Amino acid sequence: MNEFSQGVIEAANNDREATFTTYGRKTGKPSNVTIFVVTDGKRLFILSGQGMVRQWPQNLVARGEGALHLGGNDVKVKAKQVTDPTQTRMVAELYGSKYGPRFGPPNPGEPPRLSELATFELIPADS
C-alpha cells in the first residue's frame, strides 16, 4: 500500500484548509469544496460537519474517488467511509485538537454528531 508523501502529511498537519474535488454521481463533473483535513501522522481524514446531506460526501460514497489540493500538492485519492465508532471518535479527537473543541467529539452522554456519519479516510489512488 502506498503512503502519502511527507510533504502532504506536513501540509495536512499545518494548513488550516484544503480544496477537495469530488465528481458528480450522475454527471461525473468535478466539483470543488473547501474542507478541513487532519492526519494521525500517516493517514488523512476528512469529514462533513453536516453529515451526508451535502453533495460532496454523497459523491464520494457513490464514486469512491476525489482529489485533494493541499500545500501545493494535487493528490488523487480513494476514499473509505469510516463507520467504526472507535475510529470516528479518534478522527473527531484529531479535529478537536487541530480546530478546537467544537469540532471534536461529543461529550459523554451526548448523541453522535452528524459528522460521525460522514467521516472518510483518504488513501492515495495509486495504492
Side-chain angles (χ1 to χ4, degrees), residues 41-93:
K42 207 166 188 147
R43 300 174 294 172
L44 299 182
F45 300 94
I46 59 174
L47 57 76
S48 171
Q50 297 174 359
M52 293 301 295
V53 299
R54 300 205 43 213
Q55 294 297 313
W56 75 261
Q58 292 179 46
N59 291 341
L60 198 53
V61 167
R63 298 195 53 111
E65 64 181 347
L68 183 66
H69 313 283
L70 176 70
N73 300 284
D74 295 320
V75 184
K76 291 185 179 187
V77 296
K78 296 178 192 174
K80 181 176 98 175
Q81 191 167 9
V82 179
T83 57
D84 176 349
T86 303
Q87 289 291 312
T88 59
R89 179 160 294 264
M90 182 271 303
V91 173
E93 288 171 357

Side-chain angles (χ1 to χ4, degrees), residues 36-38 40 43-46 82 90-91 94-95 120-121:
F36 292 165
V37 61
V38 295
D40 64 0
R43 300 174 294 172
L44 299 182
F45 300 94
I46 59 174
V82 179
M90 182 271 303
V91 173
L94 290 170
Y95 268 84
F120 300 90
E121 178 181 354

